[in-house]
Amino acid sequence: MATITKRRWLTSKGEVREAWTLAYTDAGGKRHKEQFPRKRDADARRIEVEGQVSTGAFRAAAKDTTVAQVVDLYVEHLEGRHARGEKVTAHYLKVTEGQLRNYVAPEPGRAIEFDGGIGEVRLAQLTARTIGEFRDRLRDSGVSVITTRRILGSLSRALSFAVANDLVAVNAAQGVRVIGRRDEGSKRVVPPSKAALALLIDNAELDFKVKLVFAAATGLRASEMHALRWNRVDLDGREVIVDSRVDAYKNLDVTKSEAGTRTVPLGQGVAVLLKDWRGRSTHAADDDLVFPNSRGGFVDHGNMIKRQFNPLIILAAEKAKEDRKKFEPFGWHALRHFAISTWIEAGLTPKTVQTFAGHSTLAVTMDRYGHLFPSSDHQSAMDKIASENFA
């Protein structure tokens, strides 16, 4: 039961002051008091509190805790998990902190200037509408659909943390959608052509050619490939076990998801190429990396792209121009797309493709690569309908 009483007092100067005090008890039996300058404000708060208490949604901390404070607590929580090795990589921590402190609760002096954040909003006043308006400000400032979705995802996870710690009862960010134009959002994957990849491989140096072929055949992510050790490669059985990855900060971790731990078969030609590579490598022990740097450590992927891959792309484009052939430049990750497209072309089932690719769900595979699966059965069905009805 909530009560409102009028309070009067004299200031040190003898002036009369008055206010309205709202007193109420939460579901846990704890007594609370709040003061308001006007009775109608106290009444509005009383109605709000009684509704929250009756539904179990009341959290005392919500009226005093801001979104910025939740961001600080959540980032501190992630830092702790990272220090303990609890599935928070340095890259994930950096990206999440950047999204929260550049956009959700902007801090002065950051590289990105955005003045439409919600850091000062108290959790008690945070609603789906508040977050929807925040989303709209992001889009109006030029933030893409994909980035906006990622920012709201980080905000939602921070608010879930707040819910778990009884700072607020409801995650207001859940269910807030980001809808872009038809030409925005996820794009269908278009893998490099076989001719383009062949041109790249033909112009690569011998050692780098092994990396290109391996990536284009196995579909391993760059982080997985750079973490691969010889004790995870069975050259006789012709398969690779993928169970780890390394991030940009040289931190070793498990695969991106549970589905990322997998076994990928090797074609005979790829196995022969790897066997020859191991014979030439100065780091060929079982515990050594398959593709190390000159000192046997993790390769810096950015440097590899800058010093080897990008110059090779330029060289291939020049060769194609000389021969009057078409060549579309592509990035390293496109080698993974190429591998998956060849599996589809070879007739592997969607579920097998998902397994070899290490996708978390079949939906991910079909969303990105569904258009590449052959539709001969669909075509045959349409032919039958046409012959029976329109011939």
Side-chain angles (χ1 to χ4, degrees):
M1 182 70 180
T3 60
I4 297 176
T5 57
K6 188 175 183 179
R7 174 174 174 252
R8 286 188 176 184
W9 70 97
L10 291 176
T11 68
S12 58
K13 296 181 179 180
E15 298 174 341
V16 177
R17 293 284 187 270
E18 66 178 32
W20 298 88
T21 300
L22 168 66
Y24 57 91
T25 304
D26 63 27
K30 185 176 180 181
R31 195 70 173 162
H32 300 271
K33 287 186 177 182
E34 297 180 31
Q35 188 167 286
F36 301 87
R38 297 179 298 183
K39 187 174 187 296
R40 65 180 181 182
D41 294 333
D43 274 328
R45 176 59 176 161
R46 176 187 60 78
I47 295 171
E48 179 185 23
V49 166
E50 288 180 338
Q52 291 177 344
V53 170
S54 65
T55 59
F58 175 77
R59 298 294 184 275
K63 67 182 179 67
D64 298 317
T65 307
T66 64
V67 173
Q69 289 172 321
V70 170
V71 166
D72 290 340
L73 291 171
Y74 181 59
V75 170
E76 183 180 346
H77 165 70
L78 291 182
E79 289 173 341
R81 285 183 54 189
H82 172 64
R84 295 188 297 271
E86 296 175 352
K87 294 186 177 181
V88 174
T89 65
H91 177 71
Y92 177 83
L93 175 59
K94 181 179 180 180
V95 170
T96 301
E97 182 178 7
Q99 291 168 348
L100 293 174
R101 288 182 167 156
N102 284 332
Y103 297 102
V104 176
E107 294 181 340
R110 302 284 296 189
I112 296 176
E113 294 184 4
F114 177 70
D115 59 4
I118 54 174
E120 298 305 314
V121 177
R122 298 188 183 279
L123 296 185
Q125 278 71 54
L126 191 63
T127 64
R129 178 178 177 178
T130 305
I131 294 176
E133 291 171 349
F134 167 63
R135 169 205 61 202
D136 293 343
R137 290 194 294 274
L138 286 170
R139 296 289 290 125
D140 289 341
S141 69
V143 179
S144 70
V145 168
I146 298 298
T147 301
T148 299
R149 286 174 180 160
R150 289 172 178 168
I151 293 169
L152 290 187
S154 293
L155 171 59
S156 182
R157 288 186 287 274
L159 291 177
S160 291
F161 170 79
V163 170
N165 285 274
D166 284 336
L167 297 177
V168 69
V170 178
N171 182 347
Q174 285 187 342
V176 177
R177 300 179 61 195
V178 182
I179 302 174
R181 302 189 306 269
R182 290 180 181 271
D183 61 344
E184 289 185 295
S186 300
K187 303 291 184 181
R188 283 185 169 184
V189 169
V190 179
S193 68
K194 293 180 181 179
L197 181 61
L199 183 60
L200 203 68
I201 292 174
D202 289 344
N203 286 279
E205 296 179 354
L206 180 60
D207 290 351
F208 195 61
K209 181 182 296 186
V210 180
K211 293 184 179 181
L212 292 173
V213 171
F214 182 84
T218 64
L220 265 65
R221 301 174 178 92
S223 59
E224 298 167 339
M225 179 174 150
H226 294 317
L228 184 66
R229 297 183 186 276
W230 284 115
N231 58 16
R232 291 294 183 266
V233 179
D234 183 352
L235 293 175
D236 294 327
R238 289 195 282 138
E239 62 183 22
V240 171
I241 298 174
V242 184
D243 59 7
S244 60
R245 60 174 173 154
V246 62
D247 65 17
Y249 303 93
K250 307 295 192 305
N251 294 317
L252 193 65
D253 200 358
V254 295
T255 52
K256 189 174 182 181
S257 65
E258 290 185 9
T261 299
R262 61 200 188 276
T263 299
V264 181
L266 297 172
Q268 185 174 358
V270 179
V272 170
L273 198 64
L274 275 179
K275 188 173 183 179
D276 179 63
W277 165 245
R278 187 172 190 178
R280 299 197 318 271
S281 176
T282 56
H283 304 282
D286 285 349
D287 289 337
D288 285 339
L289 295 169
V290 176
F291 301 107
N293 60 24
S294 59
R295 298 181 300 278
F298 295 119
V299 166
D300 186 310
H301 185 70
N303 283 342
M304 185 190 77
I305 296 300
K306 181 179 179 180
R307 297 175 181 178
Q308 293 179 284
F309 186 74
N310 287 345
L312 183 58
I313 287 287
I314 294 172
L315 176 61
E318 292 173 349
K319 293 283 187 180
K321 186 176 181 180
E322 290 174 4
D323 297 335
R324 296 184 178 180
K325 294 180 179 179
K326 185 178 180 180
F327 179 81
E328 291 290 339
F330 54 87
W332 182 270
H333 194 71
L335 298 174
R336 173 171 164 84
H337 297 325
F338 180 88
I340 295 173
S341 71
T342 59
W343 301 340
I344 295 170
E345 184 182 37
L348 299 186
T349 65
K351 184 62 180 176
T352 301
V353 171
Q354 177 207 341
T355 300
F356 289 169
H359 288 149
S360 57
T361 65
L362 183 59
V364 172
T365 304
M366 298 308 294
D367 182 54
R368 296 176 185 174
Y369 302 97
H371 62 289
L372 297 177
F373 283 90
S375 55
S376 55
D377 290 342
H378 300 165
Q379 190 65 56
S380 298
M382 292 300 178
D383 287 344
K384 183 178 180 181
I385 293 171
S387 63
E388 291 177 353
N389 297 281
F390 310 117

